[in-house]
Amino acid sequence: KRIFEAKPSLLIKRGVIDQRELLRLRLTIGELLSEIRQQGYRDPSDIYYAILEENGKFSLIPKSESEAPTRKDVGVRVKEAGCALPLIADGVIDRDNLRLMKRDEGWVRAVCRERGTVPEGVFLFLLDEAGSVTLIPKEEKK
């Protein structure tokens, strides 16, 4: 069973690239650098651990000083927005999502009116749990 199962491999340990492990896995430094860049880091010196997981994907754990501060780190509290649900898609009101978001068609029509349109003229109308609305009107046909 062990022959057919992969196990996670540490490619960077405590900030040091394990060159032997790269060689053993037949990975080039270019492939490792590419993965580091794709995950938003400029340089392997930003990474504390890089792990090639059993499923073939990379997990990167940055060094503490390379992590971006979170709102929590800087003491800013925000209300969770939750998932944004479409209340209108291509001009059609989704009554199930209206019910989930505890809104009615009158509220949707009023928001559309405030923004100079009607539900039939809306390409996408999203509402999140914090009450933020995204409304994208349909493009006019030429």
Side-chain angles (χ1 to χ4, degrees), residues 117-129:
T117 189
V118 293
E120 297 75 24
V122 173
F123 178 68
L124 184 63
F125 182 123
L126 296 172
L127 176 67
D128 67 24
E129 293 173 19

Side-chain angles (χ1 to χ4, degrees), residues 7-22 24-25 32 36 44-52 59-63:
K7 65 177 191 163
S9 296
L10 289 173
L11 305 175
I12 299 178
K13 300 175 192 170
R14 295 187 180 95
V16 177
I17 296 173
D18 187 333
Q19 295 177 33
R20 284 189 187 155
E21 190 66 3
L22 285 176
R24 185 183 78 76
L25 295 171
L32 178 60
I36 288 169
S45 67
D46 292 328
I47 307 303
Y48 197 60
Y49 281 99
I51 304 156
L52 180 59
S59 294
L60 300 181
I61 300 167
K63 291 180 178 176

Side-chain angles (χ1 to χ4, degrees), residues 107-123:
W107 179 84
V108 168
R109 289 188 180 280
V111 171
C112 289
R113 203 171 28 257
E114 287 171 13
R115 302 208 182 177
T117 189
V118 293
E120 297 75 24
V122 173
F123 178 68

